[in-house]
Amino acid sequence: MSELITYKCELKDGIHARPAGHIERLCNSFQAEVCWKNIRTGLEGRAKSALSLVATDTLFNDDCEITITGADAAQAASKLAALLNKLPQFEVTTNEETQAPAGYLPRSLRETQPNYIQGSRISGGVAIARPLVTQALTFDDIMARAPMQTHPAAQEKQSLKTGIGILKQAKLDALESKVGVEHDIIQAHLSIITDTAFQSAIIHFIDNGENNWRAVVLAAMDFCEILNRSSSKYIKERTLDVLDITVQLLTTLYGENALPPSGLQLTAPSIIFADSLTPSKFLSIDKQLLAGMVLSATGQTSHTAILARSLGIPTLTDIPFTALDLDPQQEMIIDGDPGILIIAPNNQVLRYYRNEMAVQKTMQQQMLANVHQPAATADGHPVEIAANIASFEEADAAFEMGAEGIGLFRTEMSFMDRETPPDYAELSDLYTRVVLRAEGKPVIFRTFDIGGDKPVDYLQLGEEENPFLGYRAVRTYPRYRDLFAMQMKAILSASAVGNAKIMIPMIASVEEVLWCREVLESVKQSLRDESLPFNDAISLGVMLEVPSVIFAIPEIAEHVDFFSVGSNDLTQYFFAADRGNTQVSSVYDNFAPSFLRALQQAIDEVHRAGKWIGLCGELGASKDFLPLLAGMGFDELSMSSSAIPGVKHALRELNFAQCQQLAQNTLALTRSSNVKTALKIRR
Ligand code: PEP
Ligand code: MG
C-alpha cells in the first residue's frame, strides 16, 4: 500500500527540530515507511528521523511530496496530514533579546572615546577580564586522530550499540536532574543519539570497512554538510550539537583520553574567545571564573547562546577576533547590552565599568538575599508573588526563586506531545510531588486547557474555522467528562497532603461553573466511597479570561473561592485580536484605558463578593505595570520563576498609597500613550 501527501510548508522557521520531532514521533508509531521529499531542494529524508527531516531543508513555502508505504499507510497518511495542518499552531517565538542600536555607548563614556568594536549581543551584562583564546575542536581535528585499527564489522557494530546505549542512559539520567534550558538541550542531544538515520549512516560506513571512529565522524560530517546548506540560521546552528554528540560518542567508545580534554580549565577570571563552543564544553567551564565570551561564529539560537543567556554570562558574536592583537595580560571589557568589546580601556573607562558592575552586583545580591522574604510594598501592603509552571522541575526552581505559591500550573502540558492521555496514577503522583515540594504553600492546578493553540491528536477535537473561539478548555469537558473527572480526582488526592487548589480555564458563564462543581462533588463522593483521603474544603477558582465573566462576577463568586485573570487571553478576547498575530499586535493593547478599567471593575466586584483575585498572564511579570497592578488591588500576581526576584525587589520599593493614587489617575486617562507616560515608559 502506498499513499502520497503533497504539502506546502507554512512554518516561518521551516521544519526545524521541534516540528521535526512531532513528525518523527507520529511516524514512528506506524509500521509504514515515510519518505519526505522537498521539491525545491530535491533533498529526501526519512520522516522517522528528525535529523534527516531537518536535513531536507524544508523552509517556509516549500512544496514537499511525502510518500508513505506499508500495510498501515492509509492510516498513517491521514494522521500525518492532520498533524501537518496543525504544525503552525506549535510555532513558538524565540526569546532573543532585542539589540541596542549599533554604536551606542553609555552617555558618560562618549567623550572619552574608548577604542571599541561593535559586535552583536548574545547575552547582556558587563564583563571585565583578560582574554583567553581557545581553539574549537573541528571534525577535521577529530578525523586526524582516528585510530588505524579496524575490527570485523560485527564487532564494530556491537561496540557501537553498547556505546550508544551507555550515552543514551547517561542522557536519560541527566534529564532527571536538570531543569529549564539544560533539560531542553539534553533532550535535543538525546534525539540526535537515538536518531535512526544517524545510526544507519554510521552502520553504512562500518559496512564499507570503516572503524567506529571514522564511521561516526563521516556520518556526522554528512549531516552537518546538509544542515549547513540550509538557508535557515536556526538549522545551521544545529551542527554544533551534532559535533558535540560526535565527541561524546567517541569518548564513550574509545575512552576519555582519545581526544584532547573537552573541558577548559580556567585559572583566573577570563573572557573566552572562540569561534564557537559546544554546549558540553560550555557547561564544563567553571562559571565562577568565566567572566564573558566572544564567540565569533555562534548564532543567537545555538544552544550555547541559549545557555549563556540563561546563566547571565555576557556574550558577544559577530566579532572576527583573529585579526585582533589580543594581549593576554591586558584587561578588556564586554558591554553586552550595546554589544561592544572595548579592547584597551583606559583608567576612566575601567573605573566607569567597575562602578557599573558593583552597582549591578549589589542590586543582584539584594534581590537574591531577599527572595525568601514575604512580598509586600515598603509600607507593608502584601501582594502574593507566585509562579507559573508546567512541571515538577519548574516547581522546584520556582520555590528556589522565592515563589510564595504556584499561581498557575499549566497541567495540559502533561497531556501534550504523546499518543494517549496520562492516567490517574501518573497525574496523582505528579500532583502529589508538586504539593509536597510546596511545603504548605498554595498550588493552583489549572485543569487541562486543550484546544485553541494547544491541540492534542488523541482527543480528536476536529478542525475548526476559529480554534481560539471554538472548542477549547472547559467547553470540551462535557464530552471528555471521564478525563476531566480523573484529573479532578488526581488533584483531590494531592490535596490530602498539601495546599492544592483547582482552577477552571475559559469559563464564560455561571452555568459552566455549576457543571464543574457538580463533577467535583461527584468525584469527592467517589473518593469517600473508596475511603481515599482528600481535602473536602479544597478551593475552586476560575480563570477570568473571557470578558463575559467581568459582568457575571456576583453570581459566579457564589460558587467559587477565587478568580485569576488570564491577561493573555482576556486581552485577545477583549479586543478581538489574536494573541499570536503580529499584524494586530497594536490592537492587543494592555495600556488601553478601556482594558485597565475592565480589570479594575473585575477586582472591585470580586472584592465586593468577599473573594480574592490574582493575575497569571504575562502582564504579571512586568515591572512597568507592577505599581499599577498593586494599586488596583490585585491580591496575587503569578509569573515565570525567573521574574520573581526582580518583581519582589521592585515591589519592596513601592509605596501602596502612591500606587493607589497612580491607579486612580491612570484609569481617568483616555489614551494608551498617556498611560505609557504615566507608567514612565519610553517607547
Ligand atoms: C492567560 O490566558 O493569560 C493564561 C495565563 O493562560 P494561557 O496563557 O495558558 O492561555
Ligand atoms: Mg489562557
Side-chain angles (χ1 to χ4, degrees):
M1 288 248 310
S2 177
E3 299 279 334
L4 179 74
I5 300 178
T6 52
Y7 167 68
K8 186 184 264 309
C9 178
E10 291 172 351
L11 305 179
K12 69 177 182 339
D13 289 326
I15 302 288
H16 59 79
R18 195 172 143 80
H22 284 292
I23 299 169
E24 173 200 60
R25 269 193 298 281
L26 179 82
C27 291
N28 277 307
S29 68
F30 292 98
Q31 271 182 343
E33 261 313 317
V34 186
C35 174
W36 183 290
K37 178 167 184 183
N38 180 344
I39 307 290
R40 177 183 59 86
T41 58
L43 295 168
E44 283 184 20
R46 285 184 71 226
K48 289 190 171 180
S49 149
L51 214 51
S52 102
L53 259 179
V54 169
T56 62
D57 196 19
T58 301
L59 303 181
F60 180 65
N61 256 343
D62 279 356
D63 288 307
C64 300
E65 276 177 8
I66 305 158
T67 315
I68 305 145
T69 327
D72 52 1
Q75 209 191 345
S78 91
K79 288 269 184 195
L80 181 58
L83 175 67
L84 293 175
N85 267 332
K86 287 196 188 113
L87 281 180
Q89 296 164 0
F90 296 131
E91 280 204 292
V92 283
T93 45
T94 52
N95 211 9
E96 282 174 36
E97 297 175 54
T98 48
Q99 194 73 37
Y104 159 89
L105 263 187
R107 193 178 309 147
S108 49
L109 270 190
R110 273 179 224 153
E111 65 271 21
T112 69
Q113 298 190 324
N115 175 14
Y116 71 89
I117 299 177
Q118 181 70 52
S120 302
R121 172 177 63 188
I122 282 184
S123 170
V126 174
I128 306 177
R130 299 198 168 101
L132 184 107
V133 180
T134 172
Q135 290 295 334
L137 202 58
T138 64
F139 280 119
D140 290 341
D141 302 332
I142 300 172
M143 201 47 140
R145 292 169 184 267
M148 301 300 285
Q149 198 184 15
T150 304
H151 298 106
Q155 198 179 330
E156 294 285 350
K157 284 184 205 168
Q158 185 50 47
S159 46
L160 174 72
K161 193 169 160 205
T162 312
I164 288 178
I166 293 171
L167 192 54
K168 182 177 162 192
Q169 192 52 50
K171 297 286 164 199
L172 288 171
D173 293 346
L175 270 185
E176 300 266 302
S177 61
K178 300 291 180 204
V179 294
V181 182
E182 271 197 62
H183 186 275
D184 293 350
I185 291 170
I186 294 167
Q187 188 77 57
H189 284 188
L190 192 58
S191 77
I192 299 176
I193 297 161
T194 52
D195 191 281
T196 48
F198 185 43
Q199 290 182 14
S200 326
I202 303 173
I203 302 275
H204 162 80
F205 284 113
I206 295 176
D207 284 336
N208 281 308
E210 305 288 6
N211 60 20
N212 264 322
W213 188 293
R214 289 181 53 86
V216 169
V217 181
L218 287 168
M221 284 168 80
D222 277 359
F223 268 107
C224 289
E225 197 190 317
I226 301 168
L227 297 178
N228 265 326
R229 266 189 246 136
S230 170
S231 24
S232 151
K233 268 200 321 195
Y234 184 92
I235 291 174
K236 277 189 186 147
E237 284 162 13
R238 298 310 104 197
T239 54
L240 211 50
D241 296 299
V242 178
L243 176 65
D244 203 347
I245 288 303
T246 305
V247 171
Q248 292 177 39
L249 186 53
L250 292 180
T251 44
T252 310
L253 289 167
Y254 289 87
E256 285 297 331
N257 297 330
L259 283 164
S262 61
L264 190 62
Q265 294 296 329
L266 300 185
T267 52
S270 310
I271 294 179
I272 288 183
F273 284 75
D275 285 341
S276 59
L277 282 184
T278 60
S280 308
K281 190 157 181 175
F282 172 78
L283 287 172
S284 72
I285 297 171
D286 179 357
K287 303 298 175 302
Q288 297 296 330
L289 296 176
L290 179 62
M293 299 192 290
V294 175
L295 304 175
S296 59
T298 292
Q300 295 287 348
T301 60
S302 72
H303 280 141
T304 308
I306 295 170
L307 279 170
R309 272 198 287 274
S310 87
L311 295 179
I313 309 283
T315 303
L316 305 179
T317 185
D318 290 339
I319 294 188
F321 63 85
T322 37
L324 299 176
D325 188 16
L326 293 175
D327 175 354
Q329 298 310 320
Q330 165 79 60
E331 281 190 321
M332 46 184 54
I333 300 171
I334 290 179
D335 185 351
D337 293 341
I340 59 174
L341 175 71
I342 304 178
I343 312 276
N346 61 26
N347 282 341
Q348 192 184 350
V349 174
L350 274 170
R351 215 175 311 118
Y352 170 87
Y353 277 109
R354 288 222 168 92
N355 187 41
E356 181 68 19
M357 281 178 80
V359 170
Q360 281 183 11
K361 194 166 166 198
T362 315
M363 270 177 63
Q364 191 72 17
Q365 277 169 347
Q366 269 177 8
M367 255 191 244
L368 291 176
N370 295 328
V371 281
H372 296 294
Q373 298 299 319
T377 57
D379 50 336
H381 175 78
V383 179
E384 189 181 320
I385 301 296
N388 295 348
I389 63 162
S391 65
F392 175 77
E393 290 74 19
E394 285 182 273
D396 209 38
F399 291 118
E400 293 285 309
M401 291 289 199
E404 298 179 314
I406 302 298
L408 171 66
F409 189 137
R410 288 187 162 100
T411 65
E412 57 276 6
M413 296 305 165
S414 28
F415 288 70
M416 298 171 74
D417 280 354
R418 55 197 289 165
E419 314 310 329
T420 51
D423 60 12
Y424 172 71
E426 178 182 335
L427 293 187
S428 62
D429 171 65
L430 170 65
Y431 299 167
T432 302
R433 281 189 296 134
V434 173
V435 163
L436 287 174
R437 175 64 187 84
E439 295 170 336
K441 299 187 189 85
V443 179
I444 299 180
F445 292 93
R446 176 175 76 183
T447 51
F448 60 85
D449 182 2
I450 289 170
D453 61 341
K454 292 177 267 193
V456 303
D457 279 343
Y458 55 80
L459 287 190
Q460 291 166 348
L461 298 174
E463 295 299 318
E464 290 180 289
E465 283 285 318
N466 294 302
F468 269 126
L469 297 181
Y471 203 43
R472 173 181 173 192
V474 67
R475 301 166 184 198
T476 68
Y477 294 175
R479 193 203 288 177
Y480 302 104
R481 189 187 184 284
D482 289 351
L483 196 60
F484 175 54
M486 181 277 283
Q487 187 182 29
M488 287 268 211
K489 185 175 170 188
I491 302 171
L492 281 166
S493 77
S495 77
V497 295
N499 193 356
K501 300 179 188 226
I502 301 173
M503 177 159 73
I504 314 291
M506 289 292 291
I507 286 288
S509 69
V510 68
E511 285 79 4
E512 288 168 340
V513 177
L514 290 171
W515 185 89
C516 292
R517 259 251 170 252
E518 224 175 271
V519 178
L520 176 61
E521 294 312 321
S522 79
V523 176
K524 282 185 182 174
Q525 188 53 48
S526 69
L527 281 164
R528 278 183 212 110
D529 295 344
E530 291 177 65
S531 306
L532 291 172
F534 66 94
N535 172 15
D536 204 1
I538 191 167
S539 290
L540 177 71
V542 295
M543 289 203 69
L544 197 166
E545 45 191 353
V546 179
S548 58
V549 172
I550 300 175
F551 304 93
I553 287 172
E555 55 267 34
I556 291 179
E558 275 183 39
H559 307 283
V560 301
D561 304 289
F562 65 92
F563 292 73
S564 183
V565 171
S567 57
N568 307 336
D569 276 316
L570 181 62
T571 316
Q572 94 164 334
Y573 296 125
F574 189 80
F575 291 108
D578 185 333
R579 62 195 257 184
N581 184 341
T582 48
Q583 302 202 75
V584 291
S585 53
S586 60
V587 182
Y588 185 104
D589 183 8
N590 288 137
F591 295 97
S594 58
F595 177 70
L596 299 176
R597 288 183 210 131
L599 285 186
Q600 186 67 68
Q601 179 173 331
I603 295 166
D604 293 345
E605 289 272 352
V606 172
H607 285 164
R608 215 168 287 135
K611 304 289 157 83
W612 73 262
I613 179 164
L615 182 146
C616 60
E618 292 302 303
L619 212 52
S622 162
K623 282 196 236 158
D624 293 337
F625 271 92
L626 181 65
L628 185 58
L629 299 177
M632 289 168 100
F634 275 108
D635 302 295
E636 176 239 42
L637 298 173
S638 192
M639 60 202 70
S640 64
S641 304
S642 57
I644 290 176
V647 169
K648 272 186 147 181
H649 181 76
L651 186 66
R652 274 183 214 115
E653 315 251 287
L654 297 175
N655 171 288
F656 184 55
Q658 285 173 2
C659 293
Q660 284 180 306
Q661 189 61 53
L662 172 77
Q664 204 182 336
N665 297 346
T666 309
L667 261 59
L669 298 171
T670 55
R671 300 280 188 280
S672 300
S673 55
N674 297 340
V675 173
K676 282 183 193 165
T677 312
L679 300 184
K680 300 195 180 66
I681 295 168
R682 281 164 272 118
R683 296 234 169 101

